[in-house]
Amino acid sequence: MPIKAPRGTYDILPPDSRKWQAMEQSLKRVAHIYGYEEIRTPVFEHTELFERGVGEGTDIVSKEMYTFFDKSGRSLTLRPEMTASCARALIEHSAHTGLLPLKWFYCGPMFRYDRPQSGRYRQFHQFGAEVFGSSSPLVDAEVLMMVVRMLQSIGLTEYLLHINSVGCPSCRDSYRQELLDFINPIVNDLCPDCRQRSRANPLRVLDCKESRCHEAIKGHPRLLDHLCSGCARHYQRVRDTLTRQGICFEHDDRLVRGLDYYTNTAFEIHIPGIGAQSAVGGGGRYNGLVKAIEGPDLPGIGFALGLERLLLALEKQDSALPGKRDLEVFVAVMEAEYEDEAVTILQQLRDAGIVADKDYLERKARAQLKYADKSGAALVLFVGADEVKQGFVTVRNMINKEQTAILRTGLIPAITRLLHHNEEAQAQ
Ligand code: AMP
């Protein structure tokens, strides 16, 4: 049996990899415009970082981590998300002693051992960002505005932005008891996971995805009614700013984060019509996280977008990310003895930044032309006896099929002009 990629993982081959590149470039461009710089961290970390930074009570840590012991017996884990790694890197490099706020973005693979299905993989990719060092509600609003701009930049127009405030630990203390009083009489109507959650962390019952739990908790007390005055003001400012800037959102009482270091704004982005895994991204404020992993008392906020799900959503919305190779010029060689000349011309084109290629399978002239056509080449240059002897090349425009002779001495400007003409003609 030939070896296959492990379950829950997959390969990205051309031409699909072009879509990934285009999407990542758009997202990076937006992050750059909003003042973010890239951070790269190792794909594995000490297991303890995620136990403390993501939280032992979460599904990610309790069920989904790829944990292994290395040859010296250390427990390491493939990163299931990036926020903890960013916070660890910040502390390790004392990055907070420089200019604040720190605005970082990242893009890369994450690993979670979950049951694979459409939109859920064991190795998947996230694009995310974190801001450390400001607790201003305007930063929360800016992060949300950037997320919306990112979706627009890749052509996603139909999305739902859900937001809530989870307050601070003291808001949640007063809320937890009221929620427990509500849940206790109906606990047997909940799914087995939620029965357990209701004992350990009743807030997590609210965001259970099971429909029986949705039904059972209808009319539950709202965390919004328990926000202290500071947290209520913070949330109001975020909502007012979004409204003023024309960002559509929906307040969602069931959107919670179970861990103590999450504070204030929490959000999720859903795309209608992409199936059960409709969340393409989520995030929120975590003012207690950096301190929880023994760093300074530094506020933070961040989010992550799932790239597989963004692509799925784009396919559903028929949005066009590039899928085809953008070959500009193909150099066709008429006879083997002119190969050297063809290589020289190819190199000249490439030196000038033109996307060019040639045949490497000793195809006949006609087959080379066919190959160039299938590859989407805009121009084909013929290099044969007449051309080499008389110092010109024959250029065939694959769009309008016109053929012209161009002197070798003026080759690059002439090719550039032709490519430019073609582009303009296609744009019209
Ligand atoms: P989270 O870190 O759990 O808030 O996830 C943020 C985003 O990452 C989600 O909204 C998904 O788009 C994506 N995501 C999370 N887990 C997976 C997975 N197993 N497979 C594919 N995408 C995922």
Side-chain angles (χ1 to χ4, degrees):
M1 278 274 274
I3 298 169
K4 291 189 168 170
R7 193 164 132 78
T9 71
Y10 60 92
D11 305 301
I12 305 170
L13 304 178
D16 280 353
S17 49
R18 295 185 62 83
K19 295 186 187 160
W20 283 80
Q21 285 177 345
M23 180 167 65
E24 288 167 7
Q25 268 163 20
S26 294
L27 299 174
K28 283 179 186 171
R29 171 96 189 114
V30 177
H32 179 69
I33 289 171
Y34 278 77
Y36 288 74
E37 291 202 88
E38 186 176 14
I39 174 167
R40 299 188 187 197
T41 64
V43 287
F44 57 86
E45 298 267 4
H46 291 292
T47 302
E48 198 192 343
L49 174 69
F50 300 118
E51 285 169 352
R52 284 162 56 189
V54 180
E56 278 173 301
T58 59
D59 285 352
I60 292 182
V61 172
S62 62
K63 302 186 202 159
E64 299 171 5
M65 292 215 298
Y66 271 96
T67 297
F68 59 97
F69 290 94
D70 73 2
K71 289 195 198 308
S72 61
R74 278 186 214 99
S75 178
L76 299 170
T77 294
L78 300 183
R79 63 185 186 197
E81 53 104 74
M82 270 287 280
T83 305
S85 301
C86 288
R88 195 260 315 130
L90 175 150
I91 299 166
E92 189 166 334
H93 302 282
S94 302
H96 57 287
T97 56
L99 287 180
L100 290 181
L102 288 168
K103 293 166 111 181
W104 287 341
F105 79 83
Y106 59 83
C107 182
M110 308 294 151
F111 307 85
R112 294 184 196 174
Y113 189 88
D114 203 349
R115 200 168 47 81
Q117 61 184 82
S118 166
R120 199 200 279 156
Y121 305 92
R122 289 182 173 167
Q123 173 170 338
F124 60 100
H125 299 80
Q126 286 187 337
F127 187 100
E130 316 287 345
V131 185
F132 295 98
S134 168
S135 49
S136 164
L138 293 182
V139 170
D140 305 31
E142 187 191 87
V143 163
L144 286 162
M145 277 149 47
M146 177 168 83
V147 170
V148 167
R149 178 54 53 84
M150 285 178 165
L151 298 178
Q152 289 166 344
S153 79
I154 57 168
L156 263 181
T157 46
E158 293 161 38
Y159 54 85
L160 297 169
L161 173 59
H162 288 204
I163 66 171
N164 192 13
S165 171
V166 297
C168 59
S170 76
C171 310
R172 288 195 293 267
D173 271 351
S174 78
Y175 176 63
R176 195 171 279 119
Q177 192 51 51
E178 194 180 325
L179 184 63
L180 263 181
D181 293 344
F182 174 85
I183 288 174
N184 279 339
I186 55 145
V187 74
N188 290 329
D189 300 332
L190 301 176
C191 72
D193 275 352
C194 277
R195 267 176 250 161
Q196 215 166 3
R197 285 179 190 138
S198 69
R199 283 189 293 275
N201 192 343
L203 257 78
R204 291 197 48 221
V205 174
L206 296 180
D207 71 349
C208 176
K209 307 288 179 246
E210 295 272 335
S211 56
R212 66 188 276 194
C213 298
H214 278 196
E215 279 302 311
I217 60 161
K218 271 199 175 134
H220 63 84
R222 304 188 327 156
L223 184 47
L224 192 64
D225 300 326
H226 287 257
L227 295 184
C228 65
S229 61
C231 288
R233 261 201 317 277
H234 185 105
Y235 191 40
Q236 194 57 49
R237 188 79 203 272
V238 175
R239 286 186 294 180
D240 287 347
T241 309
L242 293 178
T243 307
R244 213 169 291 125
Q245 299 304 323
I247 305 290
C248 293
F249 63 90
E250 212 172 284
H251 166 79
D252 183 347
D253 282 313
R254 287 187 31 240
L255 210 170
V256 290
R257 307 255 152 174
L259 298 165
D260 269 359
Y261 46 69
Y262 282 109
T263 52
N264 304 108
T265 315
F267 60 92
E268 256 175 25
I269 302 110
H270 291 266
I271 305 285
I274 61 163
Q277 309 296 323
S278 71
V280 292
R285 213 168 237 296
Y286 45 78
N287 288 353
L289 170 67
V290 183
K291 197 166 173 209
I293 56 170
E294 289 169 35
D297 192 0
L298 205 66
I301 178 169
F303 72 88
L305 294 168
L307 298 190
E308 285 76 5
R309 292 192 199 167
L310 287 182
L311 274 180
L312 203 64
L314 282 172
E315 273 158 27
K316 286 266 156 46
Q317 287 186 17
D318 271 342
S319 288
L321 277 173
K324 239 181 150 193
R325 205 178 153 190
D326 55 0
L327 183 63
E328 293 177 307
V329 177
F330 185 84
V331 181
V333 197
M334 297 299 98
E335 271 144 67
E337 58 189 291
Y338 307 119
E339 285 280 12
D340 288 342
E341 185 63 9
V343 170
T344 305
I345 292 175
L346 188 61
Q347 192 61 9
Q348 259 179 0
L349 293 165
R350 288 172 171 168
D351 282 348
I354 294 167
V355 185
D357 217 336
K358 74 177 283 300
D359 171 69
Y360 288 108
L361 294 181
E362 295 168 16
R363 291 182 179 94
K364 294 263 181 314
R366 184 186 285 269
Q368 289 186 54
L369 196 60
K370 214 163 159 189
Y371 173 89
D373 195 32
K374 280 195 179 156
S375 304
L379 305 175
V380 177
L381 305 194
F382 294 99
V383 184
D386 290 348
E387 283 84 357
V388 173
K389 278 183 203 132
Q390 295 170 41
F392 72 95
V393 285
T394 306
V395 181
R396 185 178 171 85
N397 189 331
M398 300 298 277
I399 312 280
N400 60 19
K401 312 293 178 210
E402 277 172 18
Q403 215 151 292
T404 41
I406 294 178
L407 279 179
R408 283 279 276 113
T409 44
L411 183 68
I412 299 299
I415 295 292
T416 310
R417 250 194 323 274
L418 279 173
L419 288 172
H420 192 67
H421 273 192
N422 271 0
E423 256 172 42
E424 280 187 341
Q426 279 180 319
Q428 277 165 13

